[in-house]
Amino acid sequence: MTLEVDVEATFSADGADAFHVAADFAVREGETLVILGPSGSGKTLLLETVAGFHDHGGTVENGGRVLSDRPPEGRDFAFVFQDYALFPHMTASENVGFGQRYREADADPDALLADLGVADLADRYPPTLSGGEAQRVALARALAVDPSILLLDEPLSSLDVPTRQSLRDDLQDVLADVTSIYVTHDRTTARALADRIVVMNDGQVVQTGTPEDVFERPASPLVARFTGSNVVPLAAFGDRTSQLLDGDRDATHLTVRPEDVELGAHDPDLTGTVERVTREDATSRVTVAVGDVPEPITVFSADPPAPGTTVSLRFPRERVATCRA
Amino acid sequence: MTRETGALPLNALGRGSVALTVVAVQLVAFAAAYSLGRPTLYAGFVLLSAAALGFASRRGLFGVAMATLGSVLLVALGLPLLLFVARQSPSLIAEKATDPGVHRVLYLGVYAPLLTAVVCLAFGVPLAYHLSRGFPGQQLIESLVDLPLVVPHSVAGIVVLYGFGEGGMFPSLSVFGTLPGMILALTFVSAPYAVNAAREAFESVDDRLEYAARVHGASPWQAFRRVTGPLAVRGMVTGGVLAWARAVSEFGAVAVVAYSVEFFYPPAGEQVIAQHAPVFVYNTYLQGGLDESGAIAALLLAVSAAIFLLVRWLTTDATTTQGVA
């Protein structure tokens, strides 16, 4: 069973220009499709449109059944909201059992809460729960209706970092067993959870592919920047350009992951000056300014040079990709 | 925990007992001034005590000036009420309180507004729901709803007579001098309170709670019944009580449409004729003078005060947040 989405919708708020969202993608049985995009790219509106919250043109089809004309309650989905959206006047257990009054599903709400490690919260009301607890209850509420597709809208973004990491681990287990669309602006989460990624910008899909495609072979400088790759105009390489081209004669930019750039190598492709060194968990992020390259190049190093040092950079041929602006 | 309020660090209990002490001192001062036959002395005392309290708050001359000027208005509002109560003859009030004619007036004065509140809620809540969710042309409808707030109420009565009286919408319905006419007039002036209170309550319920209910299987009615309605119920009750209180005090529209009303009076087991309480007070004033009308006014004031306390209690309670956790 495959969910086929080909929708367009226009949103207008008072005093703002109309915002147009159009997207075409498919979600295969059992996979986690991540919609990745910056704030304001329309990814949440797209997900809400798929859920049936907004009027839209085009079609949403699940396993051949056309859902486009059905209201949200007729689409057999479930939704996890960024800010939980738990019913504040119902206990956690009542929240989880909510959908089972209306939809056939035999999961035991208390068992779902137990699976997510929050069994002891069953009788608590949402205003008394922490963010992580509330989102676990919201996840249980969504799973309780045994949805054909689970829709998740930035479920981790309202949480602090330790809570986010532990819930992301749990989500990984949950998503392994269901078909889901997961909206996020966080590339780390996207890479950790996605089977495939749809990158959105300004209401449009700009690339669809596996995490490897999107992170290592970005389709445009825009996708490359958003997924954290270095973007270097090919012109910066002078007579070495032909060595770096991977077949596309019309390519304009080279992209490379920061972890793949070699620092202090012999036979450098570029030479620059260390601008900034930022300590991260196990390594340091080194920002290097290179002559006429507009964006500084980011490199990871366990033994970073001091700011101001002149360093050489080399891009392993098998790790670079090119794209067109 | 003590909280800094100006220079007086007072906890909630302390603030309560300070307020009680101030009220007690004021009552004693009023009683003393009244028994001397010099209420003006008491007005002076209020200004002085306000100045003293302003000084005690250590906001300097500015605080003293603001407190003293503000208390002038308090004197204008409160002193007539105190004198009104003090100058009543208990025997005349007792006499009126046992007069069956007055009983009928008080019965009608509570019963007709109650019916009005029911009508306002039955049709006002659905309107309030739509207003809270927005629709094209909404501002026009909002202006129409609020119009009775700015129309002189005698004009409202005339409008009701044109709309529903002879030659109006319902030729078979007699409104002039009837209970249905009275309720129409009361509804005309009271509905904005019910609609606006209910609308505010609906607006405070996050859209996403309704989305959450729908996507997990609830129909629009089920989502309203189990989520939006329960979360907005305090606002609806408040709206009903406000509409009721407004109807209890209505004079102008009722005096035009239904000066005297025939209605079924259960204690007598038959149809009786009476006037709406505010009309009756005015009538008594014209025919029997200040003392007679004062006694009835005191009874009506007691009823109104009871309603007012109920409203305060309900609205204070409703300030507890019921939004998304």
Side-chain angles (χ1 to χ4, degrees), chain A residues 53-54 71-73 77 79 81 83 85-90 98-99 101-103 141-142, chain B residues 208-209 211-220 222 225-227 230-231 322-325:
Chain A
F53 300 163
H54 309 296
E73 63 270 27
F77 296 157
F79 205 107
F81 295 82
D83 294 324
L86 290 172
F87 308 123
H89 57 307
M90 299 181 195
F98 180 87
R101 282 179 172 232
Y102 311 111
R103 281 164 58 168
R141 175 178 69 181
Chain B
R208 281 166 306 167
L209 293 179
Y211 288 158
R214 297 285 304 277
V215 77
H216 296 114
S219 69
Q222 287 161 338
R225 195 175 64 79
R226 289 197 62 212
V227 177
L231 291 175
Q322 290 278 15
V324 182

Side-chain angles (χ1 to χ4, degrees), chain A residues 135-173:
Chain A
Q135 200 57 292
R136 284 189 157 83
V137 174
L139 187 58
R141 175 178 69 181
L143 294 172
V145 295
D146 191 18
S148 65
I149 316 275
L150 177 62
L151 309 176
L152 305 103
D153 179 21
E154 309 245 16
L156 303 175
S157 347
S158 296
L159 306 176
D160 57 46
V161 172
T163 312
R164 184 181 306 173
Q165 278 164 357
S166 93
L167 187 53
R168 183 157 57 211
D169 292 346
D170 289 352
L171 271 173
Q172 221 159 0
D173 298 339

Side-chain angles (χ1 to χ4, degrees), chain A residues 213-259:
Chain A
D213 288 336
V214 169
F215 281 85
E216 299 186 4
R217 288 180 294 279
S220 65
L222 186 134
V223 175
R225 284 183 201 106
F226 191 67
T227 53
S229 281
N230 290 299
V231 181
V232 187
L234 282 170
F237 296 99
D239 52 10
R240 284 175 169 251
T241 307
S242 60
Q243 294 178 25
L244 292 157
L245 280 177
D246 57 357
D248 182 358
R249 293 271 150 211
D250 296 325
T252 56
H253 289 78
L254 174 136
T255 65
V256 61
R257 300 294 307 167
E259 57 270 28

Side-chain angles (χ1 to χ4, degrees), chain A residues 14-34:
Chain A
D14 286 342
D17 291 336
F19 183 69
H20 191 70
V21 173
D24 178 2
F25 59 87
V27 190
R28 297 169 200 144
E29 173 92 51
E31 85 173 349
T32 299
L33 181 92
V34 168

Side-chain angles (χ1 to χ4, degrees), chain B residues 2-322:
Chain B
T2 55
R3 198 171 58 160
E4 198 74 21
T5 50
L8 304 168
L10 298 166
N11 60 26
L13 190 69
R15 290 158 70 90
S17 43
V18 166
L20 274 182
T21 311
V22 169
V23 169
V25 168
Q26 295 294 325
L27 283 178
V28 168
F30 174 75
Y34 182 72
S35 56
L36 288 173
R38 301 284 296 278
T40 323
L41 284 179
Y42 174 66
F45 178 78
V46 171
L47 297 192
L48 281 178
S49 47
L53 284 174
F55 183 73
S57 73
R58 287 202 206 157
R59 294 195 182 101
L61 269 181
F62 174 74
V64 173
M66 296 302 258
T68 314
L69 286 174
S71 65
V72 173
L73 189 62
L74 291 183
V75 168
L77 295 174
L79 194 51
L81 269 179
L82 283 172
L83 285 170
F84 167 75
V85 172
R87 292 175 67 188
Q88 292 310 313
S89 138
S91 59
L92 194 56
I93 291 184
E95 184 195 318
K96 292 295 178 191
T98 52
D99 178 354
V102 173
H103 290 170
R104 288 204 290 266
V105 167
L106 289 179
Y107 174 81
L108 181 67
V110 173
Y111 170 67
L114 200 63
L115 290 180
T116 304
V118 169
V119 172
C120 286
L121 284 181
F123 303 105
V125 164
L127 178 60
Y129 178 79
H130 276 291
L131 287 171
S132 74
R133 293 301 179 254
F135 55 85
Q138 172 169 9
Q139 286 181 335
L140 198 70
I141 303 295
E142 278 172 355
S143 307
L144 184 62
V145 168
D146 286 341
L147 193 65
L149 297 177
V150 294
V151 170
H153 286 186
S154 52
V155 174
I158 303 277
V159 169
V160 168
L161 279 183
Y162 267 96
F164 299 101
E166 228 172 294
M169 273 163 61
F170 306 111
S172 57
L173 178 74
S174 154
V175 297
F176 189 73
T178 66
L179 190 62
M182 178 178 176
I183 289 171
L184 278 172
L186 290 177
T187 302
F188 193 90
V189 297
S190 310
Y193 296 91
V195 173
N196 289 335
R199 189 190 64 189
E200 276 170 35
F202 286 133
E203 279 170 353
S204 73
V205 178
D206 194 309
D207 285 352
R208 281 166 306 167
L209 293 179
E210 224 168 81
Y211 288 158
R214 297 285 304 277
V215 77
H216 296 114
S219 69
W221 161 243
Q222 287 161 338
F224 182 86
R225 195 175 64 79
R226 289 197 62 212
V227 177
T228 320
L231 291 175
V233 77
R234 278 178 199 279
M236 293 186 236
V237 171
T238 304
V241 175
L242 285 173
W244 182 43
R246 184 67 199 82
V248 166
S249 62
E250 176 57 21
F251 172 77
V254 174
V256 171
V257 175
Y259 189 82
S260 285
V261 186
E262 192 179 351
F263 61 99
F264 181 75
Y265 182 53
E270 58 180 3
Q271 296 281 334
V272 297
I273 292 180
Q275 291 160 335
H276 191 28
V279 178
F280 185 72
V281 170
Y282 181 65
N283 209 14
T284 312
Y285 169 65
L286 291 184
Q287 289 172 4
L290 197 56
D291 289 347
E292 291 268 312
S293 63
I296 295 163
L299 289 173
L300 192 55
L301 188 71
V303 173
S304 304
I307 295 172
F308 176 73
L309 290 177
L310 181 66
V311 172
R312 280 302 295 259
W313 177 70
L314 279 169
T315 47
T316 311
D317 242 22
T319 52
T320 49
T321 51
Q322 290 278 15

